[in-house]
């Protein structure tokens, strides 16, 4: 039997997935003239993994940044940091006579928990997949060797020949990961509701964050606390706020969400996107990028924060990259009709819908798969990444039979189609799912595939895999097994419905005990910075849009998007189907961290005129008259708590002012530097 299941090989493949695409030397500017809409790489077929020449790369693209030390961790200021690490230039560097230079203060603030994660990605090297062996016609359940290779028999566990490791597990196996595990609460219990769990749970882990349950909930269930969110939780109560967030359809859209009408491609159907390529190109609209822009706008300004957090979670779990060949036409529809439609609903329904959507079918080459030339990409990732997980109990034989069962599904004229003439007919058995698969009726043959997808979505291993992933997202990089088991039980009892699983999570002592046990990834850091600074989506009065065809709002969102490409993480940005890792030790770029600090300084100064910013001297309504009290008030405004004495001293060193010094609202001209330094503290890096 012919095989087409080996993705195009890329230069990165020998290094393991570092997952940091698209850093650019001039990353922060409007890229309206970049790659035209509808570009198809001459190096690769329609759909699938990126080929040797990546159409998403910009001219002068230097390649992914090397991993290095991670300078912020859950331990906050309890470990010494290197004084000078050769970091990129920060304005206002060490000067003669200055007791604490600005670079030194920032590095110390962010670097006191330095963890070297060297070797964390060593297990990430992809394996080259073999060829299918011939199977007996009409019965895929025989005990033949899958690919004719003695080292890979059909009964072998895929965990030994995996294409991808389970990312979070792989990183946490490093020395840095082992160190983090020591500070993770073990064991726990369920309560009658979230508020009861918050009231009864004592936080015993070591952390620099305030052990306030309201702040903890705001950090984990949103993209970053704001004074408004914190006030809402305190006014409504924890239970009522969570219940409201679990019903996002009842929450009114924000001003920024209404302004998304300024992104012309968002409301267009797949057919309209196909028909209007030239017009969209002329307007500078790139549909796959406008979708990412809109996602960022919702993360920053939507009041449906828990919903957006779950959309981001599923976009990593059931991942389809935004920048694949075909993404410009199909990816926004996948976001709307698959991810957002089911983000708080049924995961089995989400997975069934995904397996009939052109975006996933093209991304993983299912359109090319037929009974006499099987492509196993989608069948493998359905098991390995989207359901039971690589250690979920399936074998290579299961992958082979699943690939045969799924033949016939594809895309024609922009729509899902089932081609009966390409479908394998014959008995299959996959992880306990058995089907005669012998109907000549196309609807019944297609329904057999749906039945299989639903089966694996409800498999006990899927329940554990979803539970582990949710607990890693919301609780800690090494979530207690007791919580994972309870979440999996709730998932199974509710047939894959997600709202009950989240309620179980929020009603657990493990959630409320895990204060400070998650570190923000680059995207989360920048989005949280926009949120805490209270940036408005309206253009600054001093903005000059010139004759640009795109609105200031659209251009501002694209600038955020491009900055995140430079930092190495943006919505739906991972080019491979495994999505971004969600553990601290995976994000180990000191350069990206300093880049984020510098961007925070630009935002504090209001230099991105496509939006409106509060002047830094207006962040605190009534600035205190002494430097020490002003730092306390500014920290309370930006990170919702006071800093430690040591951190406060470092911040005062940035301004070269003792705590008792008299200052005005501008901190005697140092307010931007002081605010940026607070945003470089562990209190802002942790969630």
């Amino acid at each position: 039997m012919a095989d087409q299941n080996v993705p195009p090989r890329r230069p990165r493949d020998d290094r393991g997935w570092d997952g940091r695409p698209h850093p650019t030397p001039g990353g922060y500017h409007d890229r309206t003239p970049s790659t035209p809409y509808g570009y198809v790489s001459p190096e690769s077929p329609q759909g699938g993994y990126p080929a040797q020449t990546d159409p998403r790369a910009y001219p002068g693209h230097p390649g992914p940044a090397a991993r290095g030390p991670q300078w912020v961790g859950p331990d906050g200021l309890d470990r010494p940091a290197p004084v000078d690490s050769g970091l990129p230039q920060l304005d206002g560097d060490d000067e003669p006579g200055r007791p604490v230079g600005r670079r030194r203060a920032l590095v110390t603030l962010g670097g006191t928990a330095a963890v070297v994660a060297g070797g964390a990605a060593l297990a990430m090297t992809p394996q080259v997949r073999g060829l299918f062996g011939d199977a007996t016609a009409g019965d895929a359940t025989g005990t033949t060797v899958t690919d004719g290779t003695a080292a890979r028999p059909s009964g072998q566990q895929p965990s030994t020949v995996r294409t991808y490791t389970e990312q979070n597990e792989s990183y946490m196996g490093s020395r840095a990961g082992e160190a983090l595990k020591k500070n993770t609460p073990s064991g726990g219990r369920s309560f009658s509701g979230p508020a009861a769990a918050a009231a009864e749970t004592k936080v015993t882990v070591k952390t620099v964050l305030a052990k306030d349950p309201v702040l903890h909930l705001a950090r984990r269930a949103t993209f970053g606390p704001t004074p408004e969110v914190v006030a809402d939780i305190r006014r409504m109560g924890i239970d009522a706020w969570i219940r409201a967030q679990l019903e996002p359809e009842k929450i009114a859209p924000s001003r920024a969400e209404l302004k998304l009408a300024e992104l012309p491609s968002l409301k267009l159907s797949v057919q309209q996107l196909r028909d209007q390529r030239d017009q969209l190109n002329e307007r500078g609209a790139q549909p796959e990028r406008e979708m990412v822009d809109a996602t960022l706008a919702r993360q920053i300004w939507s009041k449906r924060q828990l919903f957006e957090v779950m959309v981001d979670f599923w976009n990593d779990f059931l991942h389809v990259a935004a920048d694949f060949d075909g993404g410009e036409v199909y990816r926004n529809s996948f976001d709307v009709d698959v991810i957002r439609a089911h983000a708080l609903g049924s995961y089995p329904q989400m997975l069934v819908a995904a397996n009939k959507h052109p975006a996933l079918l093209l991304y993983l080459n299912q359109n090319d798969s037929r009974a006499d030339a099987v492509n196993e990409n989608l069948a493998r990732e359905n098991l390995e990444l989207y359901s039971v997980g690589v250690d979920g109990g399936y074998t290579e034989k299961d992958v082979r039979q699943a690939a045969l069962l799924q033949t016939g599904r594809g895309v024609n004229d922009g729509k899902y189609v089932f081609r009966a003439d390409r479908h394998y007919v014959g008995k299959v058995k996959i992880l306990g799912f058995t089907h005669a698969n012998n109907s000549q009726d196309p609807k019944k043959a297609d329904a057999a595939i749906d039945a299989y997808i639903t089966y694996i979505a409800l498999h006990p291993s899927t329940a554990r895999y979803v539970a582990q992933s949710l607990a890693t997202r919301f609780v800690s990089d090494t979530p207690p097994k007791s919580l994972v088991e309870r979440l999996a039980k709730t998932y199974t009892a509710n047939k894959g419905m997600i709202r009950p699983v989240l309620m179980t999570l929020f009603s657990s002592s493990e959630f409320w005990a895990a204060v400070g046990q998650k570190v923000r990834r680059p995207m989360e850091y920048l989005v949280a910075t926009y949120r805490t600074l209270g940036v408005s989506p309206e253009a600054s009065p001093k903005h000059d849009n010139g004759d640009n065809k795109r609105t200031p709002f659209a251009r501002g969102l694209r600038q955020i998007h491009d900055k995140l490409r430079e930092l190495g993480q943006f919505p739906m940005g991972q080019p491979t189907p495994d999505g971004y890792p969600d553990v601290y030790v995976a994000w180990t770029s000191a350069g990206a961290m300093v880049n984020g600090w510098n961007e925070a300084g630009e935002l504090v100064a209001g230099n991105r005129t496509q939006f409106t910013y509060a002047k830094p001297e207006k962040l605190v309504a009534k600035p205190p008259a002494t430097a020490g009290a002003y730092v306390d008030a500014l920290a309370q405004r930006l990170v919702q708590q006071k800093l430690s004495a040591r951190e406060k001293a470092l911040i005062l060193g940035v301004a070269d002012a003792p705590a008792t010094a008299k200052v005005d609202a501008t901190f005697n001209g140092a307010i931007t530097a002081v605010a940026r330094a607070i945003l470089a503290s562990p209190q802002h890096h942790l969630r």
Side-chain angles (χ1 to χ4, degrees):
M1 183 177 295
D3 173 77
Q4 304 171 3
N5 62 0
V6 180
R9 190 166 178 80
R10 304 178 298 136
R12 296 168 51 154
D13 285 347
D14 289 328
R15 298 199 330 260
W17 299 118
D18 62 12
R20 311 283 80 80
H22 316 304
T24 60
Y28 207 93
H29 54 80
D30 194 14
R31 295 192 187 278
T32 300
S34 60
T35 309
Y37 167 47
Y39 179 91
V40 177
S41 167
E43 266 71 55
S44 64
Q46 176 73 9
Y49 303 96
Q52 296 277 354
T53 302
D54 194 332
R56 296 160 292 160
Y58 299 121
H61 172 254
R67 292 180 181 274
Q70 175 77 26
W71 301 111
V72 171
D75 292 340
L77 287 172
D78 291 326
R79 296 185 186 179
V83 172
D84 190 353
S85 57
L87 297 176
Q89 181 69 32
L90 293 169
D91 62 290
D93 202 359
D94 295 359
E95 301 168 7
R98 183 181 289 276
V100 182
R102 290 182 183 176
R103 177 194 291 183
R104 185 169 300 177
L106 287 173
V107 170
T108 304
L109 276 168
T112 50
V115 174
V116 178
L122 293 181
M124 300 296 283
T125 305
Q127 304 288 337
V128 178
R129 299 174 182 161
L131 302 174
F132 275 137
D134 292 334
T136 304
D139 186 357
T141 64
T143 57
T144 59
V145 171
T146 302
D147 60 4
T149 303
R152 190 170 171 173
S154 59
Q156 187 170 346
Q157 285 291 332
S159 58
T160 64
V161 290
R162 59 182 67 179
T163 307
Y164 313 99
T165 57
E166 199 288 304
Q167 289 204 77
N168 295 336
E169 166 201 326
S170 170
Y171 284 113
M172 295 310 294
S174 68
R175 285 177 295 171
E178 290 297 328
L180 290 180
K181 292 176 185 178
K182 297 177 181 179
N183 198 35
T184 300
S186 59
R189 55 166 290 196
S190 288
F191 290 84
S192 59
E200 295 295 327
T201 300
K202 183 178 180 180
V203 179
T204 60
V205 294
K206 192 175 184 180
T207 179
V208 298
L209 292 186
K211 297 175 181 180
D212 180 340
V214 169
L215 293 179
H216 179 59
L217 179 61
R219 290 188 180 104
R220 296 295 174 87
T222 78
F223 276 97
T226 65
E228 293 76 17
V229 166
V230 173
D232 283 346
I233 299 174
R234 295 197 192 283
R235 174 178 54 83
M236 298 172 66
I238 287 172
D239 285 349
W241 186 85
I242 291 175
R243 284 197 302 269
Q245 287 291 308
L246 289 173
E247 296 180 312
E249 66 280 0
K250 296 181 180 180
I251 300 175
S254 64
R255 296 198 317 273
E257 288 174 297
L258 294 176
K259 285 175 70 66
L260 291 177
E262 297 176 23
L263 305 183
S265 68
L266 289 185
K267 295 293 185 180
L268 299 182
S269 67
V270 166
Q271 189 59 50
Q272 289 172 322
L273 289 171
R274 287 159 56 89
D275 293 342
Q276 297 181 27
R277 288 175 188 265
D278 293 340
Q279 298 95 310
L280 291 167
N281 272 334
E282 186 176 341
R283 296 172 66 179
Q286 298 168 285
E288 77 283 10
R289 294 200 174 193
E290 288 196 339
M291 173 197 61
V292 174
D293 299 342
T295 300
L296 290 168
R298 294 180 181 116
Q299 290 178 357
I300 295 170
W301 288 294
S302 177
K303 297 177 183 178
R304 306 159 179 153
Q305 280 289 296
L306 181 55
F307 177 74
E308 292 302 325
V309 169
M310 287 303 298
V311 166
D312 185 61
F313 169 82
W314 290 120
N315 270 323
D316 277 333
F317 189 91
L318 182 51
H319 180 64
V320 174
D323 291 339
F324 79 97
D325 291 341
E328 69 282 355
V329 173
Y330 301 107
R331 188 55 180 83
N332 186 55
S333 172
F334 188 84
D335 186 59
V336 173
D337 300 328
V338 177
I339 300 297
R340 292 180 177 275
H342 302 286
L344 292 174
S346 165
Y347 181 61
Q349 290 180 17
M350 181 190 291
L351 191 58
V352 168
N355 272 267
K356 287 187 171 181
H357 197 282
L360 185 62
L361 296 174
L362 292 174
Y363 180 53
L364 292 179
N365 311 104
Q366 186 63 26
N367 198 45
D368 304 325
S369 188
R370 58 185 189 270
D372 62 342
V374 178
N375 185 306
E376 74 166 22
N377 284 351
L378 179 56
R380 180 175 294 278
E381 309 313 1
N382 271 334
L383 290 165
E384 183 170 324
L385 299 176
Y386 305 151
S387 65
V388 299
V390 72
D391 297 311
Y394 69 93
T395 66
E396 288 297 303
K397 180 179 175 182
D398 291 316
V399 174
R400 174 174 178 259
Q401 293 181 71
L404 288 168
L405 176 63
Q406 292 175 232
T407 53
R409 290 192 161 184
V411 181
N412 185 42
D413 197 25
K415 299 178 182 178
Y416 169 72
V417 63
F418 181 78
R419 301 182 179 99
D421 60 324
R422 296 188 179 187
H423 179 62
Y424 168 82
V425 176
K427 182 181 178 182
V428 294
K429 184 177 181 181
I430 311 156
L431 269 178
F433 173 84
T434 303
H435 201 285
N437 188 38
N438 58 3
S439 177
Q440 299 300 316
D441 182 341
K443 290 185 178 180
K444 291 183 178 179
D446 199 24
I449 305 174
D450 284 347
Y452 159 68
I453 298 297
T454 301
Y455 174 85
I456 60 171
L458 292 172
H459 194 278
S461 293
T462 303
R464 287 191 294 272
Y465 190 33
V466 171
Q468 177 77 27
S469 299
L470 282 170
T472 300
R473 172 73 190 210
F474 284 96
V475 178
S476 79
D477 291 358
T478 55
K481 292 182 179 179
S482 58
L483 176 62
V484 173
E485 290 170 359
R486 292 202 305 278
L487 297 180
K489 185 179 294 185
T490 300
Y491 180 96
T492 299
N494 289 276
K495 298 182 178 179
M497 296 299 293
I498 299 304
R499 281 184 179 88
V501 178
L502 290 175
M503 283 302 294
T504 298
L505 187 150
F506 291 130
S507 300
S508 72
S509 62
E510 292 94 335
F511 172 79
W512 298 99
V515 175
Q517 299 307 296
K518 291 295 296 184
V519 179
R520 285 176 175 148
R521 297 174 292 179
M523 181 181 75
E524 294 161 355
Y525 173 84
L526 191 57
V527 169
T529 302
Y530 271 86
R531 286 176 58 77
T532 198
L533 288 173
V535 178
S536 168
E538 286 78 23
S540 166
K542 61 183 179 180
H543 176 72
D544 180 7
N545 208 48
D547 60 355
N548 197 290
K549 296 178 182 179
R550 303 175 71 235
T551 67
F553 180 63
R555 295 179 67 198
L557 291 175
R558 185 60 53 84
Q559 286 191 343
I560 301 173
H561 178 169
D562 289 335
K563 171 55 68 173
L564 289 173
R565 284 177 179 261
E566 186 180 338
L567 294 176
Q569 185 197 15
F570 60 95
M572 297 152 276
Q574 179 81 319
T576 50
D578 45 352
Y580 288 120
D582 193 13
V583 292
Y584 153 69
V585 294
W587 300 91
T588 53
S589 170
M593 180 168 286
V594 175
N595 196 338
W597 295 343
N598 287 337
E599 184 59 21
E602 294 291 322
L603 301 185
V604 172
N607 291 336
R608 310 300 183 207
T609 61
Q610 290 87 351
F611 303 128
T612 300
Y613 305 80
K615 292 182 179 180
E617 60 268 25
K618 299 290 187 182
L619 287 170
V620 176
K622 295 180 180 180
T626 61
Y630 200 164
V631 168
D632 289 341
L634 193 58
Q636 191 70 46
R637 168 63 183 81
L638 294 177
V639 296
Q640 294 78 45
Q641 66 176 82
K642 291 183 178 180
L643 305 177
S644 70
R646 183 183 177 195
E647 291 161 342
K648 183 176 177 179
L650 288 166
I651 300 292
L652 290 169
V654 168
D656 195 10
T660 56
K662 296 291 185 181
V663 293
D664 60 14
T666 71
F667 218 107
N668 296 345
I671 185 63
T672 298
V674 170
R676 182 183 64 172
I678 292 173
L679 293 173
S681 70
Q683 284 82 350
H684 189 57
H685 276 280
L686 295 174
R687 64 172 172 89

